[in-house]
Amino acid sequence: MVSGVFTSQDFVALTPPAILSTLGFDQTLEIVITNSEGTLVKGNGNDEANLPRADPMDLLASNGIVYVVERVVLPTLPIGPTVATTAGFNLLAKSMDGTGVMNLWNGITDPSKTFTVFAPTDDAFLAMGYDEAAIDALLEDDPESLKDILLTRTIDGQVLDTAQLADLVSRGDDTFVTSSGVNITLALESSGDLFVTGPNNTMASRARITVRNVLATNGIIHIIGSAILLP
């Protein structure tokens, strides 16, 4: 997703290769070539032999334009650096570095592992009462408890996008065991919103997924702007 409205004719007017910044997570799209058959786009992780083609038809929406692509636009970074290099996740980045979770989410601990991560923003950490000073204190006195906070936002061994999560929830499979061993529950509202509930969340305090399906090389990230509360 990029900011602004680009019609297929706008892409024709660009001089390839043109680089467009996506919304968040320091990923870019490269417009490689545009012709009557569509536009070839290159994500950070796509190779030249596997470039997705965007259909030339402009699907107009009230707030922009949608293009159908024939292949996935691939990311290039694992979960750890994808989150750590993005504004609004300073407290998560500090927590990952200090607890070893960065190595886990980076694929260093085990390159074969995949994850679904519900990544808390700085606002979510502050809602839990953890500002930078509190995180520094935990890293010095009790880093394992901070590690558990992160692992309770991680589903190990599964890459679940929100469509899959919604399907599971609609079939009654709404409880997920996290990497810390603590269960979280997901709820699907009629609006289509997905909410994550920890053991100590109430209906009013549960965490809504605010940004969905951020792809990484070893999994998928969903952004939550409030706290998953632990026992």
Side-chain angles (χ1 to χ4, degrees):
M1 182 184 297
V2 299
S3 181
V5 177
F6 293 87
T7 68
S8 54
Q9 290 305 306
D10 291 329
F11 286 129
V12 171
L14 293 173
T15 302
I19 306 299
L20 301 176
S21 296
T22 62
L23 293 178
F25 294 93
D26 291 330
Q27 302 287 319
T28 59
L29 291 178
E30 180 179 335
I31 306 303
V32 179
I33 189 170
T34 298
N35 55 37
S36 61
E37 296 180 357
T39 298
L40 287 178
V41 293
K42 181 180 181 183
N44 296 69
N46 288 102
D47 57 45
E48 296 291 344
N50 189 35
L51 296 181
R53 183 182 298 276
D55 190 287
M57 182 179 295
D58 302 339
L59 300 179
L60 300 178
S62 61
N63 59 346
I65 293 180
V66 179
Y67 293 96
V68 176
V69 293
E70 61 186 3
R71 298 189 187 94
V72 175
V73 180
L74 295 174
T76 189
L77 295 173
I79 289 171
T82 296
V83 173
T85 57
T86 302
F89 293 89
N90 296 326
L91 299 177
L92 178 55
K94 176 184 277 287
S95 302
M96 288 190 296
D97 283 337
T99 59
V101 172
M102 174 64 88
N103 286 340
L104 179 68
W105 287 355
N106 217 0
I108 294 174
T109 305
D110 185 347
S112 67
K113 277 188 174 292
T114 56
F115 308 95
T116 298
V117 171
F118 301 96
T121 62
D122 289 342
D123 287 342
F125 270 98
L126 294 174
M128 291 185 285
Y130 295 119
D131 58 11
E132 189 168 359
I135 287 174
D136 284 337
L138 273 178
L139 288 173
E140 183 173 346
D141 300 332
D142 191 8
E144 284 302 311
S145 68
L146 184 55
K147 184 176 183 178
D148 281 343
I149 288 173
L150 302 187
L151 294 183
T152 303
R153 288 148 179 80
T154 308
I155 300 173
D156 192 357
Q158 299 183 74
V159 180
L160 299 169
D161 63 28
T162 49
Q164 292 169 304
L165 290 171
D167 180 61
L168 288 168
V169 170
S170 66
R171 292 191 279 112
D173 297 325
D174 59 354
T175 301
F176 300 84
V177 181
T178 66
S179 300
S180 70
V182 172
N183 288 352
I184 57 173
T185 303
L186 267 72
L188 176 65
E189 298 295 304
S190 58
S191 62
D193 285 335
L194 279 163
F195 289 85
V196 187
T197 303
N200 273 13
N201 284 101
T202 63
M203 282 286 290
S205 69
R206 59 190 179 160
R208 184 172 69 89
I209 295 177
T210 57
V211 178
R212 304 175 175 213
N213 305 331
V214 179
L215 295 179
T217 56
N218 61 343
I220 196 166
I221 306 161
H222 307 296
I223 309 306
I224 54 174
S226 52
I228 298 174
L229 299 178
L230 306 184

